[in-house]
Structure formats: C-alpha cells, structure tokens
Amino acid sequence: MILTDTHTHLYSEAFDGDQEAMIQRALDAGVERFFVPAIDASYTQSMLELKKKYPVQVHLMCGLHPTHVKENYEEELAHVQEMLGKENYVAVGEIGMDLYWDKSFKAQQQEAFHRQIKWSIEKKIPIAIHCREAFDEVFEVLDDYKGTPLYGIFHCFTGNLEQAQRAIDLKMKLGIGGVVTFKNGKIDQFLDQIPLSQIVLETDAPYLAPVPYRGKRNESAYLLQVAEKLATIYKRDVKEIAEITTLNSREVFGI
C-alpha cells in the first residue's frame, strides 16, 4: 500500500529535533511520496537539503505563501521566479489568498496569486492553492483562467459542496486532510457526493493533526488516519483509498 502526502512541510522547525525519525515513521506507515510546498525564501535552503536527503520520496514546490505576502513581496516573488528557472519543481505552491490573519495586503495577495498562476501555466506545472476565509476572492482570481491549461490542488479544502464542485470544474483536485476527521469539520457530511477520482490526501504537517492527535503536532505518518476516515466515508478498503488517491496525485504532478 502506497500513500501519498500531497502537502507536508517536512522542513518545518517543528521537526528540527526528529526530522529523520518522523519521516521514517511515515515510511513505516506506508507513506512513500511527499509533496512539499514552499512558504517564503527563508525556507528554500532547508527544502533543497531535504530533497538531497530523500531524492526519491520528496518532491518540492516553489511559491510564496499568501500569509507571507508583505512589504517585500516583490523581492519574494523575484526569488520564486529565479528558483523556478533553476530547479526542477513539481508545482507552484502554496499560493492563494488568506484573509484570516491580515487583510491589509489583500491587493498584494491577489497580485502575487495572479503572477504565480501565470508562471505555473508557462512551466506547465500545477498549483497548490491555500485558501482561508477567502473562497470568493480565490474563485474571483481562478475564474480569470477558465479555458487555460491551469490545474492543480485546492489544498486543505474546507468549503461546502457547491464550492467543491466549483473547484473541480476549474480543474482542481480537492486536498483532504485532518479536518475530515473533526466533529465540526463538516466536509465529511458531503464528501461521498464527490467522486473519489477528484480527491488527494494530505496532512499539512505540522498543522491540523487528525483525530485522535488533534491539537498535537501533525506528521505525515498520520495520513493513515485520514485514509481510514475516507475509507469509512466512501465505504471502501483503506488500500483502495490509498491506491486511488495516489493515482490521482500522479495525474496532478506527473510523478
């Protein structure tokens, strides 16, 4: 059984004390493929070092996270563009809109989102979308690219059924993680109405640990709990969930 974590911050400071052991636990749990999104330039070196350590299992993305779009966003975007030209990244991400923490850079977030989408289209690679308290704003941007080759993953999808369908119509797979195990997560109430062919699994480690680890540090090994929850929702075997969602990840990333 091969599980694929399509969104995990393995380079996070949260893993500084036990990164190798944490990754080994994931491998032991059947998680053999890790797709690692960027945040900003300060993490580039640690991401590249991680890739050197795990060249087969780890696949890197490049992008500017919306919560890190600040006064220096032009400088950060220049770094993203430079790195996309130098390294073999599998996606542009994570990118998008986040109006939960700070709305003061909304216009700059939109600009950064547009620019990075255009780079993904030029490079013919997918995007990984971050969206928090910003569904309308994210869809407003994405609607501008209808009819283009744009595709990717709507990471940590927490919307409703209508928003899920809208994302799928825009050629986005839904990234499902720990939230699906939460009592108040809500997405478990309609997920069985979404074809399994449109779903990929993720942890967003070290964030959003699934039940029974909720509130603790998340890690990629806990992807198994997400897969088990989907097996219950879709009335399928866990191995089948792993097989289908890994196939879906290969469709997105081409790996």
Side-chain angles (χ1 to χ4, degrees), residues 220-232:
S220 284
Y222 301 162
L223 193 69
L224 187 56
Q225 277 67 38
V226 178
E228 287 171 348
K229 180 66 176 181
L230 261 68
T232 301

Side-chain angles (χ1 to χ4, degrees), residues 102-118:
D102 184 1
K103 296 182 175 69
S104 58
F105 289 93
K106 179 180 175 181
Q108 292 88 342
Q109 284 190 31
Q110 286 172 317
E111 169 63 22
F113 194 16
H114 274 294
R115 219 180 298 179
Q116 293 178 98
I117 283 173
K118 286 167 184 168

Side-chain angles (χ1 to χ4, degrees), residues 2 13 22 38 50 52 82 91 94 97 116 147 154 163 175 183 202 251:
I2 297 175
E13 299 94 338
M22 178 271 298
L50 179 73
K52 278 183 186 173
E82 179 191 358
E94 63 190 277
M97 302 282 296
Q116 293 178 98
F154 211 112
Q163 289 164 332
K183 278 186 179 178
E202 62 168 67
E251 184 185 328

Side-chain angles (χ1 to χ4, degrees), residues 28-222:
D28 293 343
V31 187
E32 296 182 19
R33 293 154 46 80
F34 307 88
F35 290 85
V36 180
I39 294 173
D40 65 16
S42 68
Y43 291 100
T44 299
Q45 193 54 43
S46 56
M47 290 177 71
L48 293 174
E49 287 169 7
L50 179 73
K51 175 68 176 172
K52 278 183 186 173
K53 277 191 203 173
Y54 301 94
V56 176
Q57 298 94 342
V58 167
H59 309 282
L60 301 182
M61 307 182 206
C62 185
L64 177 60
H65 193 293
T67 61
H68 288 242
V69 173
K70 303 295 183 186
E71 290 88 350
N72 68 334
Y73 84 102
E74 286 286 1
E75 181 184 323
E76 286 283 353
L77 285 176
H79 175 74
V80 172
Q81 188 173 29
E82 179 191 358
M83 294 308 296
L84 283 171
K86 284 167 62 172
E87 301 288 339
N88 187 27
Y89 290 100
V90 298
V92 177
E94 63 190 277
I95 64 175
M97 302 282 296
D98 189 313
L99 302 179
Y100 177 78
W101 297 107
D102 184 1
K103 296 182 175 69
S104 58
F105 289 93
K106 179 180 175 181
Q108 292 88 342
Q109 284 190 31
Q110 286 172 317
E111 169 63 22
F113 194 16
H114 274 294
R115 219 180 298 179
Q116 293 178 98
I117 283 173
K118 286 167 184 168
W119 294 337
S120 80
I121 293 171
E122 287 170 11
K123 298 285 289 183
K124 298 179 180 176
I125 55 177
I127 61 171
I129 299 171
H130 173 104
C131 173
R132 191 169 187 190
E133 305 256 328
F135 274 101
D136 290 344
E137 289 80 5
V138 163
F139 283 128
E140 184 183 334
V141 171
L142 292 178
D143 281 344
D144 285 351
Y145 299 92
K146 281 181 179 175
T148 73
L150 180 66
Y151 68 106
I153 294 172
F154 211 112
H155 145 65
C156 190
F157 184 80
T158 55
N160 57 34
L161 179 58
E162 182 187 352
Q163 289 164 332
Q165 193 55 60
R166 191 170 176 188
I168 291 166
D169 290 345
L170 288 161
K171 295 186 285 190
M172 300 294 151
K173 303 281 190 201
L174 305 184
I176 303 299
V179 174
V180 76
T181 69
F182 298 172
K183 278 186 179 178
N184 61 348
K186 297 181 181 177
I187 58 172
D188 61 314
Q189 297 170 16
F190 65 81
L191 205 57
D192 62 350
Q193 297 177 60
I194 301 294
L196 198 49
S197 61
Q198 301 302 325
I199 302 291
V200 292
L201 303 185
E202 62 168 67
T203 58
D204 200 19
Y207 315 106
L208 294 171
V211 173
Y213 307 105
R214 188 175 184 182
K216 299 177 181 178
R217 185 191 75 170
N218 198 5
E219 54 181 78
S220 284
Y222 301 162

